[in-house]
Structure formats: C-alpha cells, structure tokens
Amino acid sequence: MRCLPIVKNKEQLVGKAKEIVDLLRPHMFVFYDESGAIGRRYRRQDEIGTPFGITVDFETLAKRYRAP
C-alpha cells in the first residue's frame, strides 16, 4: 500500500498522511512518499506494482471519515 500527500509543502496534508501510515503500518507494509511531483510518485508506485494506494488531499482534511 502506498500513502501520498497530494502536495508536500502543506504540513496539514503531510501530517494526515503520516498519521494514516502510522495507523496502517502495524497491519501491513505501507510505503510513504513525498518526493517529487504527484504524477511522478504515482508513476513510481505503478512501476513497482503497488496494488493499493491512498492519496491525502484537501478533501480528506475537510471530511471526517469514520471506520464502519
């Protein structure tokens, strides 16, 4: 699984992405990446065959998600 903030210069997005990584890491391998442009990060993950991913964007911060 990959977890990426949509932009790396917004501390709120980076913080939320790292929070998600911390929640998931005890249960699975999670790859966190904030280097380069988002398109390059998507392409890198696609090249190595990452099956699932989470992208943290401004909508993520605006909504309050609850686990079922």
Side-chain angles (χ1 to χ4, degrees):
M1 161 130 357
R2 66 157 164 79
C3 187
L4 312 171
I6 194 83
V7 291
K8 60 184 177 181
N9 61 352
K10 298 290 184 188
E11 191 56 41
Q12 292 173 316
L13 295 175
V14 171
K16 180 56 83 173
K18 288 181 178 179
E19 180 183 329
I20 292 169
V21 168
D22 290 340
L23 288 171
L24 294 176
R25 194 160 272 160
H27 307 285
M28 65 184 72
F29 179 77
V30 182
F31 184 82
Y32 175 81
D33 186 5
E34 64 178 51
S35 62
I38 190 69
R40 289 185 187 115
R41 289 184 268 161
Y42 285 145
R43 187 179 61 218
R44 257 195 312 269
Q45 294 301 310
D46 188 46
E47 286 174 358
I48 63 173
T50 305
F52 301 102
I54 298 171
T55 301
V56 178
D57 61 6
F58 296 101
E59 189 174 334
T60 307
L61 297 179
K63 294 184 177 181
R64 297 186 136 236
Y65 292 98
R66 292 185 177 197

